[in-house]
């Protein structure tokens, strides 16, 4: 108990040196902007920390007009209040994944289990087909519904198929949003030879051709964390517990692991093997999230069945965790690409936004 108390006191001491700004957007306000709050979700927070990409599924009165899904671009003021909401009506039956292109001018959308990818121009609302699967012609199909926006490029994982619809092995591919069809995808890493070396594979973070993370478990449910780099191949990075949550961005990954001695939150660079311990103790830490450039980590402290506190760790402070929100329900966590702003979304309470200020 004394160790636990010391840990919490240390966290609070660190937190006192910071001045974060919190703002809330209630569900009623989203409804007033035309959002169907029954089915709303938050996909991403752009690099400016003031642009939310979300989506909803409208009711049948809208669907019968051919509008099956809607994307929303929510612009925020510097005070984290709604400045404007732009709605995009889409004839897409289901949005499996959506992410900004590197220039933030468009959004790529996958549907039909990764066989169809559309590009939405955010300026004029024009929707175009980047690729589809009509049959009789070669193409590329996303296997894992991944769009990784990293280092000025966008990557995905899937497989090429020929005109006879014969599928090749799984690969990582760079996506060129300016092209269409098979030509839009360039293979950068063969995934199959890596995956074959990993029996008991449970989770993968395949978001960068420079480095990737893999999580395996044996029959006794003992987990191992592996890193792959394009220079050294596979190497063991951690083991001895159960991974209870993970998130990846580019070659970086954060994971929560429960070991016999307690709980840990670790940040791992798959490219160079650098491991940064963020938390170690008796508190149950889950639901990690990582900013696009890897400089900000958010995770939650499980307080009860429907209650959690949220913690952040940043590179500007040596990744020392501090509390940014408490006594909230389980939320969808998103971090802006630059790591400056955190979004916590809950379907009843709305969006809690935390602008992460510099230490005072």
């Amino acid at each position: 108990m004394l160790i636990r108390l010391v840990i919490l006191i240390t966290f609070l001491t660190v937190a006192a040196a910071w001045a974060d700004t919190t703002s809330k957007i209630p569900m009623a306000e989203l409804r007033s902007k035309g959002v169907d709050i029954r089915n709303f979700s938050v996909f991403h927070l752009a690099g400016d920390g003031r642009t939310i990409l979300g989506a909803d599924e409208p009711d049948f009165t809208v669907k019968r007009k051919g509008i099956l899904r809607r994307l929303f671009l929510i612009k925020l003021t510097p005070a984290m209040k709604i400045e404007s909401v732009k709605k995009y009506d889409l004839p897409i039956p289901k949005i499996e994944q959506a992410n900004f292109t590197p220039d933030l001018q468009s959004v790529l959308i996958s549907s039909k289990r990764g066989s169809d990818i559309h590009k939405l121009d955010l300026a004029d609302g024009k929707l175009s087909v980047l690729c589809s699967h009509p049959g009789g012609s070669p193409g590329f199909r996303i296997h894992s519904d991944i769009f990784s926006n990293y280092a000025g490029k966008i990557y995905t994982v899937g497989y090429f198929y020929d005109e006879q619809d014969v599928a090749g092995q799984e690969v990582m591919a760079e996506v060129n949003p300016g092209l269409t069809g098979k030509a839009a995808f360039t293979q950068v890493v063969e995934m199959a030879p890596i995956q074959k070396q990993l029996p008991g594979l449970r989770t993968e973070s395949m978001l960068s051709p420079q480095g990737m993370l893999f999580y395996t478990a044996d029959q006794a449910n003992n987990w191992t964390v592996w890193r792959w780099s394009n220079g050294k191949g596979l190497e063991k990075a951690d083991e001895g517990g159960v991974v209870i949550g993970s998130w990846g961005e580019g070659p970086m990954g954060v994971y929560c692991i429960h070991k016999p001695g307690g709980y840990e939150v670790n940040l791992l660079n798959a490219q160079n093997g650098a491991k940064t311990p963020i938390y170690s103790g008796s508190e149950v830490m889950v639901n990690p999230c990582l900013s696009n450039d890897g400089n900000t980590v958010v995770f939650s402290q499980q307080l009860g069945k429907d209650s959690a506190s949220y913690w952040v760790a940043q590179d500007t402070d040596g990744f020392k965790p501090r509390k940014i929100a408490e006594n909230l329900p389980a939320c969808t966590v998103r971090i802006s690409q630059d790591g400056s702003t955190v979004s916590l979304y809950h379907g009843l309470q709305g969006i809690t936004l935390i602008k992460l200020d510099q230490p005072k």
Side-chain angles (χ1 to χ4, degrees), residues 2-64:
L2 179 60
I3 294 175
R4 174 178 172 180
L5 182 61
V6 170
I7 290 172
L8 290 178
I9 290 175
T10 302
F11 282 178
L12 292 174
T13 302
V14 173
W18 294 73
D20 302 319
T21 303
T22 300
S23 177
K24 293 183 181 291
I25 302 174
M27 297 304 289
E29 186 174 359
L30 290 173
R31 185 193 295 113
S32 72
K33 302 298 183 181
V35 175
D36 190 325
I37 61 174
R38 299 170 304 168
N39 302 292
F40 183 67
S41 58
V42 174
F43 282 113
H44 293 284
L45 194 57
D48 59 4
R50 291 170 48 190
T51 305
I52 298 172
L53 179 67
D56 75 359
E57 179 182 356
D59 64 31
F60 74 95
T61 61
V62 176
K63 282 186 173 181
R64 65 188 181 188

Side-chain angles (χ1 to χ4, degrees), residues 80 96 108 138 158 174 204 235 262 276 279 281 335:
M80 299 288 105
E96 296 163 345
L108 296 187
E174 180 183 333
E204 303 167 290
E235 291 185 335
T276 304
Y279 170 84
I335 310 173

Side-chain angles (χ1 to χ4, degrees), residues 310-332:
Y310 291 85
W311 298 79
V312 69
Q314 296 175 275
D315 62 348
T316 51
D317 194 32
F319 288 103
K320 297 177 182 177
R322 69 182 188 279
K323 189 185 294 185
I324 54 173
E326 58 184 341
N327 296 324
L328 289 178
C331 296
T332 298

Side-chain angles (χ1 to χ4, degrees), residues 199-214:
L201 184 60
R202 297 287 185 88
T203 308
E204 303 167 290
S205 180
M206 307 174 295
L207 303 172
S208 162
Q210 284 77 42
M212 295 178 278
L213 294 173
F214 301 87

Side-chain angles (χ1 to χ4, degrees), residues 43-44 53 95-102 107-111 114-119 130-131 140-150 153-157 173-177 184-185 206-208 247-250 292 337:
F43 282 113
H44 293 284
L53 179 67
I95 299 175
E96 296 163 345
Q97 175 63 284
N99 203 346
F100 294 103
T101 53
V107 170
L108 296 187
I109 305 166
S110 71
S111 63
S115 65
D116 286 6
I117 300 176
H118 291 80
K119 184 173 78 169
L130 191 140
C131 72
F140 189 86
R141 182 170 186 164
I142 293 177
H143 177 70
S144 303
D145 302 327
I146 294 171
F147 287 130
S148 169
N149 193 333
Y150 176 71
K153 296 181 179 180
I154 194 160
Y155 299 100
T156 190
V157 174
E174 180 183 333
V175 184
N176 186 336
F185 302 90
M206 307 174 295
L207 303 172
S208 162
W247 187 283
E249 292 287 347
N292 186 261
Q337 292 181 353

Side-chain angles (χ1 to χ4, degrees), residues 21-25 79-82 342 351-355:
T21 303
T22 300
S23 177
K24 293 183 181 291
I25 302 174
M80 299 288 105
K81 303 295 183 182
I82 292 181
V342 176
I351 304 174
T352 300
L353 295 161
I354 301 116
K355 179 70 174 178

